[in-house]
Amino acid sequence: MGSRWQVEKKNDPYYKRAKSEDYRSRASYKLKQLDKRYKIIKLGNTVVDLGAAPGGWSQVALEKVGEEGKVVGVDLNRIKPFPDENFYGIRGDFTKEIVQEKVMELIGGKTKVLMSDASPELCGIKHIDHLRSIDLIEAVLIIADNILEEKGNMVVKVFQGGEYKRILDEFKKRFRKVQSTKPPSSRNKSKEMYIVGLGFKRNQ
């Protein structure tokens, strides 16, 4: 199984592109494709990236925000620093209040974009993995309620399953426009989907 996975990874076109274009992860292309379609990140934005390691999404965000913006990445694992002075890495559990407070200090209270490509610890049982994914998204939504600016944008990964529609409805309460999508770089066999929320309604 392990060797087959290694072969599949090395033959994957996005893995090869990430290597040749010096991106930290093939996941970078998921955010690039989502942003191209929905215009999530703009020049000068502050961006918070939850579950950021190894840094593929933060790397794309840094390209988009330019020197005028700021990117804060949070993960349980260490995120190798970027040369950009406007990147700040936090090692910790983003569901914990003490870590959220550190994020708020770095961003000055509010962020224009909140994103998460985080995956829960997977057990291989689809129903349980889905529910763990939902728990993670619910934590991200609570964080959004606290730190996302009025008219801010959000993009998150979630696994399909019985609770998917309910989570979509939670997004629709909070955002003026909501899209459920799967970018071309997401593997066909993967159950992952991405929810994009545009135009946060702070006083929903």
Side-chain angles (χ1 to χ4, degrees), residues 11 14 26 47 77 108 113 116 126 139 153 155 179 193:
N11 290 332
Y14 288 102
R26 71 182 303 283
V47 177
N77 298 311
V113 179
S116 176
K126 290 181 181 179
N153 299 328
V155 54
Q179 296 289 335
M193 292 289 289

Side-chain angles (χ1 to χ4, degrees), residues 48-51 57 94 114-118 140 155-157 194:
V48 173
D49 182 7
L50 302 177
W57 276 30
F94 66 74
L114 183 63
M115 58 188 194
S116 176
D117 193 33
V140 175
V155 54
V156 299
K157 175 169 70 183
Y194 287 84

Side-chain angles (χ1 to χ4, degrees), residues 1-203:
M1 178 67 75
S3 60
R4 186 175 68 186
W5 180 82
Q6 288 290 341
V7 170
E8 287 179 358
K9 185 174 81 168
K10 287 180 180 178
N11 290 332
D12 180 273
Y14 288 102
Y15 175 81
K16 291 178 179 178
R17 278 185 67 182
K19 286 290 185 183
S20 66
E21 296 178 4
D22 202 26
Y23 282 108
R24 292 189 178 180
S25 168
R26 71 182 303 283
S28 296
Y29 298 99
K30 299 176 188 177
L31 182 59
K32 286 170 78 75
Q33 289 162 355
L34 291 166
D35 185 70
K36 183 177 181 180
R37 184 172 181 183
Y38 298 108
K39 307 295 187 290
I40 300 162
I41 307 169
K42 296 179 177 63
L43 187 69
N45 281 173
T46 296
V47 177
V48 173
D49 182 7
L50 302 177
W57 276 30
S58 289
Q59 193 172 6
V60 173
L62 284 165
E63 292 174 355
K64 297 295 296 185
V65 304
E67 294 180 358
E68 300 91 342
K70 180 187 293 185
V71 178
V72 177
V74 187
D75 202 280
L76 287 168
N77 298 311
R78 178 180 176 271
I79 307 165
K80 183 181 175 183
F82 290 99
D84 311 70
E85 293 184 358
N86 55 338
F87 175 77
Y88 303 86
I90 299 173
R91 187 170 185 177
D93 183 345
F94 66 74
T95 67
K96 303 298 184 184
E97 188 174 337
I98 188 169
V99 175
Q100 293 171 22
E101 288 173 354
K102 192 177 294 186
V103 171
M104 292 176 75
E105 285 177 18
L106 285 172
I107 64 175
K110 294 284 186 288
T111 186
K112 191 67 177 181
V113 179
L114 183 63
M115 58 188 194
S116 176
D117 193 33
S119 176
E121 186 175 343
L122 303 179
C123 68
I125 301 172
K126 290 181 181 179
H127 175 66
I128 294 174
D129 288 342
H130 165 66
L131 292 178
R132 288 178 177 176
S133 170
I134 293 298
D135 286 345
L136 204 57
I137 298 307
E138 287 179 331
V140 175
L141 281 170
I142 291 170
I143 294 170
D145 290 339
N146 291 330
I147 72 171
L148 196 56
E149 289 182 13
E150 174 76 18
K151 297 182 180 178
N153 299 328
M154 182 168 162
V155 54
V156 299
K157 175 169 70 183
V158 60
F159 296 137
Q160 297 175 70
E163 292 292 302
Y164 191 72
K165 184 182 181 301
R166 182 179 65 80
I167 284 296
L168 268 179
D169 290 340
E170 289 298 322
F171 270 78
K172 289 172 182 175
K173 292 175 186 176
R174 292 169 167 82
F175 293 90
R176 290 169 175 83
K177 182 178 180 181
V178 175
Q179 296 289 335
S180 172
T181 187
K182 188 177 178 74
S185 53
S186 178
R187 293 184 176 96
N188 290 333
K189 62 183 179 181
S190 173
K191 284 287 186 181
E192 70 183 12
M193 292 289 289
Y194 287 84
I195 301 175
V196 178
L198 304 173
F200 185 62
K201 298 180 285 188
R202 173 136 290 283
N203 297 311

